[in-house]
């Protein structure tokens, strides 16, 4: 029987886990690295005989060449990467990382029954689709994806047995993104109450801040600009990690800077000052998320840490400032997401592939997710103040709405003898009525409507958002029953331009 596996496809590092015979998730170490290597850099290098994923590629990131990393930040976007004249997408590169994680999994489990890949909670629809397309390209059949903080929470609840009751915060600060979620847990049942993220705030920004600090000091001391070849971002990252355990370091460490004739010392305090504005942003987001949950900080039982950057002492201090308590010490901040994903793979299966011990442990758990954006439509609305018709974004599904859900709203035609209606699906992070500030994720036309009807004909709009985070949007002219359906499907096929397909039904 095949195994249930979970893949944390991280911006910086990826991890894979499987559900063991006893129903507990375990990390699978990368057999290509030294013993105990639980995570693999999400970096790809193109060598003459093909792509190689992992540490070697990560070490070469700063050099001009064929090594790529951090492409998760570009998922679903238009950026491409030139490899010997061929333009690769972030999806192509992620597929190579997923293939590697699959290979690591197969070194332990022989066969894969079901796999789940995780994504940040605030990933836009196209980035979700791109992730599924990457998994498909890597030859993994993915029926379910799960948000990273939800996966971490699921593992935490699993590990705590029946002990958790009340509200918890999942604080995930990795290499490229920050995510915070508030969850409500009753024993083995968990529900996401609110979830927010900052797309480009993580370890890389801290490395850059340290790099800048070192450059400034170097200039001050020598009167010369620091040669970027003498001190790289990779070195800045190593120095940053040293500063997590030491109060003072020499920049560049043993490698030193340049020929070693100049020594630049950095105190932890100076570095913390340099990243304070970034941490202030995370604090504001935590406060906004608490507000969205209608909770006060003291109603959060515990703050659970996820992600490598939570090892920074300044991050733990920042958490204390917001939540009024220290986070729970955990030693596997790098593994929580992948471990939760393997549990979710089993949880979402029909159970046929599970042994008795596994189904016993899994059957007690439930997870409820929420919509991660506001989804709406642009409608023409009469403004009584100006006497004019105006385009307005109307929300159909609210951010934070528990999913699966299906919401139907009525709209009306704005003109007499209107035989077609432009229909649009919008997405926004905030409650927004101005169409300028929302993203249109799909547009179509409901046409061939019967002529000669007065304005005010009912157009019924239904958005059905399923547990797997795909959404079907239906626009119906009620009288004639003409409809147009948009399937914002995550199951993107390889080579397809977009996973969003549309079809018209008479
Ligand atoms: P991602 O989810 O983006 O893949 P991870 O959770 O694996 O990221 O975290 C990677 C980040 O954690 C990197 O930026 C790395 O420099 C940082 N990191 C790892 N260990 C430490 C440490 N001891 N102190 C500070 N930062 C650390
Ligand atoms: Mg991560």
């Amino acid at each position: 029987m095949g195994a249930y596996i979970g893949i944390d496809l991280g911006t910086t590092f990826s991890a894979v886990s499987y559900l063991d015979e006893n129903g507990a998730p375990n990390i699978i170490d990368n057999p290509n690295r030294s013993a105990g290597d639980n995570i693999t850099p999400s970096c790809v290098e193109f060598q003459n005989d093909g792509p190689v994923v992992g540490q070697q590629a990560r070490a070469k990131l700063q050099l001009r060449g064929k090594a790529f990393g951090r492409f998760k930040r570009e998922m679903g976007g238009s950026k491409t990467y030139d490899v010997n004249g061929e333009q690769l997408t972030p999806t192509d590169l992620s597929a190579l990382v997923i293939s590697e994680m699959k290979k690591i999994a197969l070194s332990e489990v022989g066969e894969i029954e079901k796999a789940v890949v995780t994504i940040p909670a605030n990933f836009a629809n196209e980035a979700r689709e791109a992730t599924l397309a990457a998994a498909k390209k890597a030859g993994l059949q993915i029926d379910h994806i799960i948000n990273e903080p939800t996966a971490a929470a699921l593992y935490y609840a699993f590990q705590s047995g029946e002990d958790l009751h009340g509200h918890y915060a999942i604080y995930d600060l990795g290499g490229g993104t920050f995510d915070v979620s508030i969850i409500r847990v009753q024993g083995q049942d968990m529900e996401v109450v609110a979830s927010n993220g900052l797309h480009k705030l993580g370890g890389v920004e801290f490395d850059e801040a340290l790099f800048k600090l070192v450059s400034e000091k170097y200039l001050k001391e020598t009167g010369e600009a620091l040669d970027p070849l003498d001190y790289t971002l990779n070195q800045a990252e190593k120095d940053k990690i040293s500063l997590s355990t030491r109060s003072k370091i020499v920049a560049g460490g043993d490698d030193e800077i340049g020929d070693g004739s100049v020594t630049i010392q950095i105190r932890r305090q100076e570095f913390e000052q340099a990243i304070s504005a970034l941490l202030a942003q995370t604090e504001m987001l935590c406060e906004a998320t608490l507000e969205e949950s209608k909770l006060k900080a003291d109603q959060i039982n515990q703050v659970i840490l996820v992600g490598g950057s939570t090892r920074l002492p300044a991050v733990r201090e920042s958490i204390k400032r917001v939540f009024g308590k220290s986070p729970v010490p955990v030693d596997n901040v790098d593994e929580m997401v992948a471990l939760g994903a393997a549990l979710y793979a089993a949880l979402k299966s029909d159970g046929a592939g599970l042994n008795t011990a596994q189904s016993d442990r899994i059957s007690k758990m439930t997870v409820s997710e929420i919509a991660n954006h506001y989804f709406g439509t642009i409608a023409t609305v009469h403004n009584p103040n100006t006497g004019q018709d105006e385009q307005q974004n109307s929300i159909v599904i609210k951010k934070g709405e528990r999913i699966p859900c299906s919401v139907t709203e009525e709209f009306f035609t704005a003109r007499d003898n209107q035989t077609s209606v432009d229909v649009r699906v919008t997405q926004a992070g905030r409650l927004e009525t101005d169409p300028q500030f929302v993203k249109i994720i799909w547009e179509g036309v409901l046409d061939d409507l019967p002529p000669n009807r007065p304005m005010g004909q009912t157009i019924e709009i239904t958005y059905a958002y399923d547990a797997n985070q795909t959404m079907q949007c239906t626009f119906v002219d009620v009288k004639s029953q003409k409809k147009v359906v948009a399937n914002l499907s995550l199951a993107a096929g390889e080579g397809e331009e977009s996973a969003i397909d549309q079809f018209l039904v008479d």
Side-chain angles (χ1 to χ4, degrees):
M1 211 167 282
Y4 293 84
I5 70 161
I7 296 176
D8 170 8
L9 182 64
T11 310
T12 328
F13 291 100
S14 294
V16 58
S17 77
Y18 78 109
L19 198 71
D20 71 15
E21 288 295 293
N22 304 316
N26 287 273
I27 290 288
I28 307 172
D29 286 348
N30 184 338
N32 304 326
R33 298 186 66 194
S34 48
D37 263 331
N38 53 355
I39 51 179
T40 299
S42 309
C43 299
V44 184
E45 184 195 359
F46 289 87
Q47 298 181 343
N48 289 340
D49 48 356
V52 178
V53 173
Q55 185 52 37
Q56 205 182 336
R58 179 168 159 85
K60 290 193 188 156
L61 275 189
Q62 310 301 323
L63 311 171
R64 275 181 181 280
K66 298 283 176 273
F68 305 98
R70 297 192 272 276
F71 32 81
K72 176 173 167 181
R73 286 182 169 199
E74 309 294 337
M75 286 298 269
S78 55
K79 181 168 174 169
T80 56
Y81 302 79
D82 183 278
V83 179
N84 304 324
E86 197 188 339
Q87 298 306 310
L88 296 190
T89 62
T91 304
D92 295 330
L93 295 172
S94 295
L96 292 168
V97 176
I98 298 176
S99 285
E100 181 71 13
M101 301 321 288
K102 182 179 159 189
K103 214 158 77 191
I104 294 171
L106 289 174
S107 73
E108 173 80 34
V109 300
E111 197 190 326
I112 295 168
E113 176 78 25
K114 287 273 181 235
V116 159
V117 176
T118 65
I119 50 166
N122 66 332
F123 244 20
N125 222 32
E126 53 270 41
R128 290 168 184 265
E129 289 167 12
T131 305
L132 276 189
K136 196 164 180 183
K137 215 169 175 176
L140 269 189
Q141 175 56 42
I142 300 280
D143 298 331
H144 298 281
I145 52 176
I146 182 172
N147 292 333
E148 287 159 13
T150 314
L154 188 61
Y155 176 69
Y156 190 70
F158 170 86
Q159 192 196 27
S160 308
E162 296 291 332
D163 296 345
L164 303 189
H165 293 279
H167 290 98
Y168 297 80
I170 311 289
Y171 183 104
D172 181 355
L173 189 56
T177 46
F178 171 60
D179 271 302
V180 59
S181 298
I182 309 284
I183 54 159
R184 184 166 37 235
V185 188
Q186 279 304 325
Q188 297 284 296
D189 301 327
M190 55 159 285
E191 181 189 359
V192 181
V193 180
S195 195
N196 283 301
L198 293 169
H199 198 36
K200 294 197 172 169
L201 200 159
V204 175
E205 278 65 34
F206 303 148
D207 301 343
E208 283 168 356
L210 183 57
F211 183 86
K212 191 160 162 257
L213 187 61
V214 171
S215 307
E216 282 165 3
K217 279 199 153 189
Y218 187 91
L219 181 64
K220 214 164 162 192
E221 220 141 289
T222 65
E224 280 171 36
L226 178 61
D227 185 336
L229 289 177
D230 283 345
Y231 187 67
T232 63
L233 275 174
N234 270 356
Q235 279 175 302
E237 186 190 19
K238 273 191 203 150
D239 288 344
K240 170 192 75 176
I241 291 174
S242 301
L243 278 170
S244 287
T245 47
R246 294 159 60 185
S247 60
K248 196 167 70 185
I249 55 133
V250 170
D254 293 342
D255 301 340
E256 297 177 318
I257 293 182
D259 61 8
S261 58
V262 185
T263 309
I264 304 294
Q265 274 201 356
I266 302 283
R267 283 178 295 119
R268 184 194 286 170
Q269 225 174 9
E270 292 172 295
F271 169 60
E272 291 183 344
Q273 181 59 36
I275 62 168
S276 61
L278 293 168
L279 291 181
Q281 284 183 46
T282 63
E283 287 171 30
M284 267 155 41
L285 195 73
C286 289
E287 274 157 11
T289 310
L290 278 170
E291 206 166 296
E292 250 178 67
S293 321
K294 301 190 176 56
L295 293 169
K296 297 264 177 287
D298 61 7
Q299 290 172 285
I300 300 295
N301 289 349
Q302 284 177 334
V303 182
I304 299 148
L305 298 178
V306 182
S309 294
T310 59
R311 293 196 178 93
L312 284 171
V315 166
R316 299 187 183 209
E317 287 305 313
S318 155
I319 291 172
K320 247 199 257 174
R321 278 197 294 277
V322 184
F323 292 96
K325 57 177 73 68
S326 297
V328 221
V330 275
D331 46 14
N332 55 352
V333 291
D334 302 314
E335 301 179 346
M336 307 265 288
V337 171
L339 291 167
L343 284 171
Y344 196 68
L347 193 64
K348 283 289 167 183
S349 74
D350 59 8
L354 295 170
N355 69 23
T356 319
Q358 288 171 331
S359 24
D360 275 358
R361 292 197 78 167
I362 299 300
S363 63
K364 298 190 197 94
M365 312 183 80
T366 69
V367 187
S368 319
E369 280 275 11
I370 52 169
N372 67 338
H373 285 92
Y374 288 94
F375 294 96
T377 190
I378 297 174
T380 307
V381 177
H382 187 75
N383 182 337
N385 296 328
T386 59
Q388 304 276 318
D389 285 346
E390 286 173 4
Q391 297 270 292
Q392 192 181 305
N393 182 51
S394 299
I395 305 301
V396 179
I397 291 185
K398 290 206 260 323
K399 181 178 175 189
E401 182 105 31
R402 209 171 153 159
I403 53 175
C405 66
S406 176
V407 181
T408 302
E409 296 282 350
E410 284 188 346
F411 292 83
F412 304 95
T413 55
R415 297 186 312 274
D416 290 338
N417 193 23
Q418 189 172 340
T419 54
S420 78
V421 179
D422 292 331
V423 290
R424 278 155 289 192
V425 179
T426 65
Q427 174 184 295
R430 297 178 296 139
L431 200 55
E432 183 61 67
T433 53
D434 190 336
Q436 278 187 70
F437 301 121
V438 299
K439 189 165 175 188
I440 295 172
I441 53 171
W442 181 83
E443 34 191 338
V445 185
L446 178 56
D447 56 4
D448 289 334
L449 300 181
N452 304 322
R453 299 187 303 175
M455 62 189 269
Q457 298 297 315
T458 308
I459 307 293
E460 209 174 69
I461 300 186
T462 301
Y463 288 4
Y465 197 141
D466 77 14
N468 203 24
Q469 318 221 4
T470 68
M471 191 166 65
Q472 188 178 69
C473 305
T474 312
F475 300 82
V476 189
D477 174 65
V478 174
K479 275 245 178 70
S480 69
Q481 282 297 303
K482 289 260 180 196
K483 59 169 125 165
V484 55
V485 182
N487 255 333
L488 278 69
S489 155
L490 295 171
E494 194 181 336
E496 276 173 21
E497 231 186 1
S498 161
I500 301 174
D501 58 68
Q502 76 173 98
F503 50 91
L504 289 161
V505 189
D506 277 332

